[in-house]
Amino acid sequence: MADEPDLDNIQGLSQEEVSNKIKKEGYNELPSADKRSVFNIVLEVIREPMFLLLIACGTIYMILGDLQEAFMLLGFVFVIMGITFYQERKTERTLEALQDLSSPRALVIRDGKQMRIAGRDVVTDDIIMLKEGDRVPADGVLLSCSNLLINESLLTGESVPVRKVQCGGVMDMYPPGGDGLPSVYSGTLVVQGQGVAQIMSTGLDTEMGRIGKRLQTLETEDTSLQNETRTLVRNFALVGVALCAAVVVIYGLTRLDWLNGFLAGITLAMAIIPEEFPVVLTIFLALGAWRISRKNVLTRRSHAIQALGSTTVLCVDKTGTLTLNRMSVARIMSEDNYYDIDPEKTDHLPENFHELIEFSILASQRDPFDPMEKSLKELGDIALTDTEHLHEDWQLVHEYPLSQELLAMSHVWQSPDGEYYVIAAKGAPEAVADLCHMNDDELDHLSHNISLMAREGLRIIGVARAHFKKTELPGEQHDFNFQFLGLVGFIDPVREEVPKAVKECYQAGIRVVMITGDYPGTAINIAHKIGLEDPEKVITGPELEEMDDLTLKDRVKVVNIFARMVPEMKLRLVEALKSNGEIVSMTGDGVNDAPALKSAQIGISMGGRGTDVARESSSLVLLEDDFSSIVSAVKMGRRIYDNLKKASAYIFAVHVPIIGMSFFPVLFQWPLVLFPVQIVFMELIIDPSCTVVFEAEAAEKNVMMRPPRNPDEALFNRGTIGMSILQGIIVFFIVLAVYILTLDRGEDLARTISFTTLIIANLSLILTNRSWSNTILQTIRSPNKALWWVLSGALIFLGLVIYFPPLQQLFRFCPLNPGDILLCIVAGTLSVLWFEVLKWLKGYTEIRILS
């Protein structure tokens, strides 16, 4: 076997030197961006205008000595703060656990001894040892190496490992991605061989860190929903203050009772102030993040959830997202005979291909880490079992590694009879052909076979064999008399669920764009398999680089495959799509993807194999690197937005009669119907209804059969607000009519009947607004446990305030007889019956304001 690097004369750094370097340079880690303390999270919650108004109202009630109302109002604040804090801290803890991927452990030489340390403790000038399966902890230069292949896809996007060589005394760093270079980079993965490197830079000075610094120039904007909600709350607050002042003045002047006028004004302000909107937004997004996490998608920024439904273009990284990032043998060729490997029937390999696989395995490591060598061993274990072609008892005598001059490697095995060595070679087909000393005709014929396999997007190696008498082995592979055995083609298989998920994206009006560092042929082949539209249209990195911005902006409208991309090009591509008005969701796993992830409206990073920089730059993190999870997240995002709109419509509708029944009795000098305690009762129904009940509603049947939502469409648009206010006005007039008709029977009885009617109408509004296309009779069959808890809880508490004397006195109610109760039920349900009739007349599906 190849000799281990000579480490006898390497002492490495002393512990004192290490301590001094850590003090001077800091730890080898990327600081977590925007990591929030407990104080910061709490501050974000309470600085919302609505929460400040709630605290102010609660404080006023405490000053007035009405502790019950004060504690109820302030209780809302602390409950929501608790929910938000729990969700945010849960997200932070999950991300902290994922950070371990980008801070691997390292094997270093210090004080002449090898020791395993945390990656964050690596410093410049440390001597590190690299072996198969290791992640490189920092940027460095190779002092020595043997057959070293490193996967640098985190930095380059190219899934094929690159070959490394030792520096030869020149300690210079080179850009990542090139073959035959001595530089190694933080976060990249050793897939074959071994090496010894000296660390040149750590932390923010690494290639990862430099890209992280560039991200600081890209600012994350507030979502339209956040701005819209703030504007709505501000406007309502201004209206509330104006009407509150008007009620105080009117009450005080007409009744000469300024104290009760002040209480009436506060009551109206409570009725007008839409504390539900920020509450609903917070809870919907928090619970939405939890629901999406059950689809193996971690929400990094909860406000991005509502933007999912607007996605028009999904930019997808090919390797590991559309594919399994696991090479497998797809097609083999021997003596001009081709054979396609069926993953389900690998034990039926024809006899004439046995030797090809046999020597492919002999040219690989016994316990391989390289994905291609792994797939060869897996195929051999099944296809060649119980044959003479597996040689567990053979002894590896020598290894000829890949070199800059010859991209092929050979293993020399001890012959069973002891007289011959058996040599197995594999590598680039051209290099293996060179070893076999092929003539021009043979090379032309081989080139034709290679082209046939390359069209299918395969990565191809050649395999050869040789025998050598047991004497002193030659210094070069060329000195053996090799015989060419054939070609082996590998492919990164498409994930089984991807074609269906891509089809669902197209049904939902979402365009899928593939961005990859691989060659066009490979990308086109994958595009055909997953059902990508226009799979023959490709723009390569060099072509994109030559385009001006206007040309690129035009071309990205029709091209869905971008091959041989590098980091700056990905960012430019996302910007071009955005300039066309597209709402871009971008997936990625590497440091090279981070700027594009942050620039896209929705960045989706990979949790399993992604870098910390990519995750910190993204809005969502895929915990299982599965493309179908993205589609599930989009579907969930649309459902959340639909339900948020339903809840908003309900809030508008239910506040109209509350405001009316608070204002009209003051205006016409009637006895007051609503006091602060009644408003609090209503809020006890409204708050869980517009949060828990509507949030739990199942997705509409057509949620993934309609085009993306227009991002410029306001949540509180004219159609929604108009229909909601109409609902509320009709409820108000019916409740007001009941109040006027029963006023001559006594103030307390009129208040009790009208309030009970308002509660029944409120519950009816909940039922009718569960869907604006299906009737109550249809939606009632749709399971929603929270709905029944709210309905039953509201009716039980209503019974208590009517018939339990202490609560009667608090609410200024009196008992109702069966006739009065029947009146309340009929009037309350009639208030929404018109809307149900409208749904039926429209054929259940023509009202599309929420769609």
Side-chain angles (χ1 to χ4, degrees):
M1 294 185 65
D3 296 330
E4 293 277 345
D6 183 11
L7 307 176
D8 294 339
N9 298 321
I10 299 179
Q11 291 297 309
L13 299 175
S14 66
Q15 289 299 327
E16 183 180 354
E17 289 174 313
V18 170
S19 298
N20 291 334
K21 282 180 175 288
I22 289 178
K23 289 179 182 178
K24 181 180 178 181
E25 302 169 358
Y27 286 102
N28 176 39
E29 59 186 359
L30 302 179
S32 178
D34 301 324
K35 187 173 180 180
R36 292 166 293 176
S37 64
V38 173
F39 175 76
N40 288 335
I41 295 174
V42 172
L43 185 62
E44 284 183 13
V45 176
I46 65 174
R47 72 182 182 183
E48 290 291 337
M50 192 56 242
F51 285 107
L52 296 176
L53 288 171
L54 281 175
I55 292 172
C57 288
T59 303
I60 291 172
Y61 275 102
M62 291 185 72
I63 294 173
L64 293 174
D66 201 338
L67 297 181
Q68 186 177 16
E69 282 82 355
F71 288 142
M72 282 186 179
L73 284 175
L74 295 175
F76 286 127
V77 177
F78 292 110
V79 168
I80 301 308
M81 281 174 58
I83 291 173
T84 306
F85 175 75
Y86 171 77
Q87 176 63 34
E88 295 287 352
R89 286 301 299 157
K90 180 180 177 183
T91 301
E92 293 292 338
R93 284 195 297 269
T94 307
L95 285 166
E96 286 167 8
L98 287 173
Q99 276 184 345
D100 293 341
L101 285 173
S102 64
S103 183
R105 295 183 65 79
L107 184 61
V108 301
I109 300 176
R110 288 180 179 172
D111 292 320
K113 298 178 181 178
Q114 297 183 26
M115 60 179 66
R116 183 74 68 172
I117 64 172
R120 72 190 297 268
D121 295 328
V122 171
V123 297
T124 56
D125 296 326
D126 250 332
I127 304 300
I128 61 170
M129 301 183 64
L130 301 173
K131 296 181 179 179
E132 287 185 4
D134 288 346
R135 279 198 182 273
V136 181
D139 291 4
V141 174
L142 288 164
L143 303 178
S144 64
C145 64
S146 174
N147 200 27
L148 185 63
L149 292 178
I150 294 184
N151 186 328
E152 296 183 345
S153 61
L154 294 178
L155 295 169
T156 65
E158 174 58 70
S159 60
V160 178
V162 292
R163 178 177 49 83
K164 296 294 180 180
V165 298
Q166 65 189 46
C167 65
V170 181
M171 304 293 286
D172 289 337
M173 295 292 293
Y174 296 86
D179 260 328
L181 298 176
S183 308
V184 293
Y185 301 93
S186 176
T188 57
L189 183 66
V190 180
V191 297
Q192 184 175 293
Q194 56 194 0
V196 177
Q198 181 173 332
I199 297 302
M200 304 300 291
S201 54
T202 60
L204 286 172
D205 294 326
T206 62
E207 192 70 22
M208 265 194 188
R210 280 189 286 272
I211 293 178
K213 289 177 184 177
R214 291 210 303 269
L215 297 177
Q216 296 175 0
T217 63
L218 298 172
E219 297 296 330
T220 303
E221 300 176 357
D222 286 343
T223 64
S224 59
L225 185 57
Q226 287 174 287
N227 296 327
E228 194 178 342
T229 304
R230 288 196 186 102
T231 301
L232 181 75
V233 170
R234 182 196 64 201
N235 293 341
F236 263 79
L238 293 175
V239 172
V241 169
L243 287 179
C244 176
V247 165
V248 172
V249 172
I250 293 172
Y251 198 102
L253 291 176
T254 58
R255 307 190 191 195
L256 301 178
D257 187 347
W258 291 96
L259 179 60
N260 282 322
F262 182 73
L263 290 173
I266 289 291
T267 302
L268 180 60
M270 289 177 63
I272 293 176
I273 293 173
E275 73 270 17
E276 295 89 4
F277 284 118
V279 169
V280 164
L281 185 61
T282 301
I283 289 185
F284 266 62
L285 298 182
L287 291 179
W290 171 73
R291 291 189 185 279
I292 289 179
S293 72
R294 299 177 71 184
K295 305 292 185 182
N296 295 313
V297 179
L298 175 69
T299 304
R300 174 64 181 156
R301 294 177 180 86
S302 60
H303 288 286
I305 295 173
Q306 61 89 19
L308 280 169
S310 302
T311 299
T312 59
V313 176
L314 180 55
C315 295
V316 188
D317 181 56
K318 176 187 73 68
T319 304
T321 309
L322 299 176
T323 65
L324 293 169
N325 197 21
R326 187 178 68 229
M327 302 298 286
S328 65
V329 181
R331 171 174 269 204
I332 53 181
M333 187 280 292
S334 179
E335 297 180 351
D336 292 340
N337 295 315
Y338 288 93
Y339 185 77
D340 293 321
I341 303 296
D342 185 345
E344 305 296 327
K345 299 178 181 179
T346 52
D347 56 338
H348 291 87
L349 187 67
E351 177 70 31
N352 57 316
F353 292 99
H354 283 193
E355 191 176 30
L356 172 62
I357 301 303
E358 172 190 2
F359 277 84
S360 300
I361 295 171
L362 287 173
S364 306
Q365 300 294 327
R366 276 197 183 277
D367 186 17
F369 186 82
D370 178 79
M372 292 194 298
E373 291 189 352
K374 271 186 174 181
S375 66
L376 286 169
K377 188 175 187 301
E378 290 170 0
L379 176 61
D381 288 343
I382 298 174
L384 302 182
T385 189
D386 298 327
T387 70
E388 73 280 6
H389 297 287
L390 293 179
H391 309 286
E392 295 294 335
D393 56 337
W394 284 21
Q395 181 181 356
L396 183 63
V397 177
H398 189 69
E399 177 180 349
Y400 293 92
L402 290 163
S403 67
Q404 192 166 358
E405 296 75 24
L406 186 67
L407 298 178
M409 59 180 293
S410 298
H411 283 176
V412 180
W413 297 89
Q414 177 70 57
S415 173
D417 58 15
E419 294 185 6
Y420 284 90
Y421 291 123
V422 176
I423 302 95
K426 69 177 175 66
E430 296 82 1
V432 175
D434 187 26
L435 286 177
C436 297
H437 305 289
M438 288 186 174
N439 58 41
D440 291 342
D441 290 339
E442 290 173 325
L443 287 173
D444 289 342
H445 188 67
L446 177 63
S447 178
H448 174 71
N449 286 325
I450 292 172
S451 297
L452 290 177
M453 296 179 71
R455 289 175 193 167
E456 299 181 16
L458 304 177
R459 188 185 177 199
I460 307 161
I461 63 168
V463 182
R465 70 176 181 186
H467 295 275
F468 191 77
K469 276 200 170 182
K470 192 176 178 184
T471 58
E472 185 177 346
L473 289 169
E476 296 183 0
Q477 300 177 70
H478 266 296
D479 295 330
F480 295 113
N481 185 22
F482 279 104
Q483 176 189 352
F484 189 77
L485 293 178
L487 300 172
V488 180
F490 300 84
I491 195 166
D492 187 0
V494 170
R495 291 181 180 270
E496 183 180 351
E497 66 280 357
V498 166
K500 179 181 177 182
V502 170
K503 182 179 179 181
E504 195 169 2
C505 283
Y506 287 138
Q507 289 175 340
I510 301 172
R511 178 181 160 207
V512 181
V513 172
M514 182 197 301
I515 306 175
T516 178
D518 278 338
Y519 289 95
T522 304
I524 290 172
N525 181 265
I526 295 296
H528 280 286
K529 290 182 177 180
I530 66 174
L532 205 67
E533 291 180 349
D534 297 321
E536 299 299 328
K537 295 180 180 178
V538 183
I539 293 178
T540 64
E543 291 172 348
L544 185 146
E545 199 167 26
E546 294 178 1
M547 294 180 189
D548 57 44
D549 289 343
L550 287 176
T551 304
L552 178 60
K553 181 180 177 180
D554 186 59
R555 291 292 305 281
V556 296
K557 295 177 181 178
V558 294
V559 178
N560 296 323
I561 302 176
F562 296 84
R564 305 301 292 168
M565 291 287 113
V566 297
E568 293 76 10
M569 295 176 186
K570 288 188 175 183
L571 176 59
R572 191 175 168 213
L573 177 58
V574 171
E575 295 292 344
L577 288 166
K578 288 169 62 178
S579 69
N580 285 330
E582 305 283 6
I583 304 300
V584 182
S585 290
M586 166 74 185
T587 71
D589 60 350
V591 175
N592 63 310
D593 295 321
L597 286 172
K598 191 167 184 179
S599 176
Q601 285 94 339
I602 305 167
I604 307 172
S605 63
M606 305 301 162
R609 55 191 166 82
T611 60
D612 199 37
V613 172
R615 287 192 298 274
E616 289 289 349
S617 305
S618 63
S619 306
L620 303 174
V621 180
L622 296 187
L623 298 180
E624 292 190 356
D625 299 359
D626 183 352
F627 178 73
S628 64
S629 296
I630 303 172
V631 181
S632 298
V634 171
K635 183 176 182 180
M636 187 64 69
R638 290 189 175 192
R639 168 191 164 178
I640 291 168
Y641 190 83
D642 280 357
N643 290 344
L644 187 58
K645 207 160 190 179
K646 294 173 185 176
S648 302
Y650 163 73
I651 293 171
F652 275 113
V654 77
H655 271 78
V656 171
I658 297 175
I659 294 170
M661 295 306 294
S662 299
F663 184 73
F664 269 63
V666 175
L667 187 62
F668 293 102
Q669 301 184 41
W670 297 330
L672 297 182
V673 177
L674 300 177
F675 295 98
V677 68
Q678 276 95 344
I679 300 294
V680 170
F681 184 153
M682 294 292 294
E683 294 297 338
L684 289 176
I685 300 174
I686 294 171
D687 279 3
S689 298
C690 63
T691 54
V692 180
V693 172
F694 284 106
E695 193 281 331
E697 279 298 306
E700 299 281 347
K701 290 182 179 179
N702 69 336
V703 70
M704 291 297 282
M705 299 294 290
R706 65 194 191 211
R709 177 178 55 84
N710 186 342
D712 296 328
E713 174 195 340
L715 175 67
F716 314 110
N717 58 52
R718 292 182 179 179
T720 302
I721 294 176
M723 187 63 75
S724 301
I725 290 178
L726 181 60
Q727 286 182 347
I729 288 173
I730 292 176
V731 169
F732 164 63
F733 279 124
I734 288 178
V735 173
L736 183 64
V738 169
Y739 174 68
I740 293 173
L741 289 173
T742 57
L743 192 56
D744 60 352
R745 296 173 58 187
E747 176 183 329
D748 287 350
L749 181 63
R751 180 181 298 112
T752 307
I753 292 177
S754 57
F755 182 79
T756 304
T757 303
L758 183 58
I759 294 296
I760 299 299
N762 184 2
L763 300 181
S764 299
L765 282 172
I766 296 171
L767 292 173
T768 196
N769 280 291
R770 288 181 68 194
S771 173
W772 279 23
S773 57
N774 296 323
T775 64
I776 292 177
L777 293 178
Q778 292 174 310
T779 57
I780 206 73
R781 295 191 291 267
S782 178
N784 190 328
K785 292 181 180 179
L787 171 68
W788 299 112
W789 279 106
V790 169
L791 293 182
S792 57
L795 292 175
I796 290 172
F797 195 54
L798 178 62
L800 289 174
V801 298
I802 294 175
Y803 296 106
F804 185 55
L807 289 178
Q808 278 182 16
Q809 295 175 10
L810 179 63
F811 280 77
R812 305 183 192 184
F813 285 166
C814 64
L816 299 180
N817 60 44
D820 294 331
I821 294 174
L822 181 61
L823 171 64
C824 296
I825 294 173
V826 171
T829 53
L830 278 176
S831 64
V832 301
L833 186 62
W834 69 273
F835 193 57
E836 292 298 298
V837 173
L838 182 60
K839 294 181 193 178
W840 181 75
L841 291 175
K842 294 292 184 180
Y844 306 103
T845 57
E846 291 183 17
I847 300 177
R848 292 300 185 187
I849 296 172
L850 288 171
S851 298

